[in-house]
Amino acid sequence: MGDKESETYHHLFLHCEWVTELWGDILFPLGITAPNPFSATSIELWLANWLKVHTNALGNILWRLAPYAVLWVTWKARNEKVFKNVRKDTTQARMEVMGLLWYWVSNCEERRGVSFREMLLEWDENFVV
């Protein structure tokens, strides 16, 4: 989402510096080798090759939803920058991704007994690894 790069959806969602940092914040602390956004030739192929993980039930659901949450938050951040001249930092975006994931699993039985705080603080320990 920089001002210098040419904006294509491929660049926006996988390769720009801002989204690369966001992917790193969400995925790399998990210790799982996620499909590398830089090696992707298309978003569709990248999503189709998303790794399956074997963790607890909630972790499996969160892992499957994570790329879609990152893509959605990235799109919203891009529009805020273009239309409102508001630049969101990746720390804010990470919290939005986590909040969105939490909302998306709100009706899942697997979420019972787990707080949002636990999901945030133990993201890399108990949910996806």
Side-chain angles (χ1 to χ4, degrees):
M1 276 188 295
D3 297 321
K4 298 174 188 160
E5 302 99 2
S6 90
E7 184 175 89
T8 65
Y9 74 93
H10 190 260
H11 175 79
L12 173 68
F13 293 124
L14 299 174
H15 297 159
C16 82
E17 184 178 326
W18 186 91
V19 81
T20 301
E21 186 176 330
L22 180 58
W23 282 120
D25 289 348
I26 299 294
L27 301 177
F28 301 126
L30 302 175
I32 297 172
T33 305
N36 184 343
F38 284 115
S39 66
T41 56
S42 77
I43 293 172
E44 297 84 0
L45 185 59
W46 187 68
L47 290 171
N49 289 322
W50 191 253
L51 296 176
K52 294 191 178 13
V53 296
H54 303 288
T55 183
N56 63 44
L58 181 58
N60 284 331
I61 294 167
L62 292 170
W63 179 251
R64 285 193 319 264
L65 293 173
Y68 301 99
V70 171
L71 294 174
W72 179 245
V73 168
T74 300
W75 181 248
K76 285 179 45 185
R78 178 258 182 212
N79 286 336
E80 287 176 10
K81 182 176 182 239
V82 169
F83 297 111
K84 296 179 182 176
N85 201 28
V86 173
R87 182 167 170 89
K88 184 175 295 193
D89 68 31
T90 56
T91 302
Q92 293 171 300
R94 180 186 187 278
M95 288 304 291
E96 267 191 58
V97 167
M98 300 306 250
L100 189 57
L101 287 170
W102 191 246
Y103 176 72
W104 285 352
V105 298
S106 62
N107 289 324
C108 292
E109 182 147 337
E110 295 82 359
R111 196 185 100 167
R112 291 197 181 151
V114 178
S115 71
F116 181 66
R117 185 178 197 295
E118 287 174 300
M119 186 184 85
L120 288 176
L121 296 177
E122 299 172 7
W123 176 250
D124 59 342
E125 295 173 12
N126 296 322
F127 287 96
V128 186
V129 293

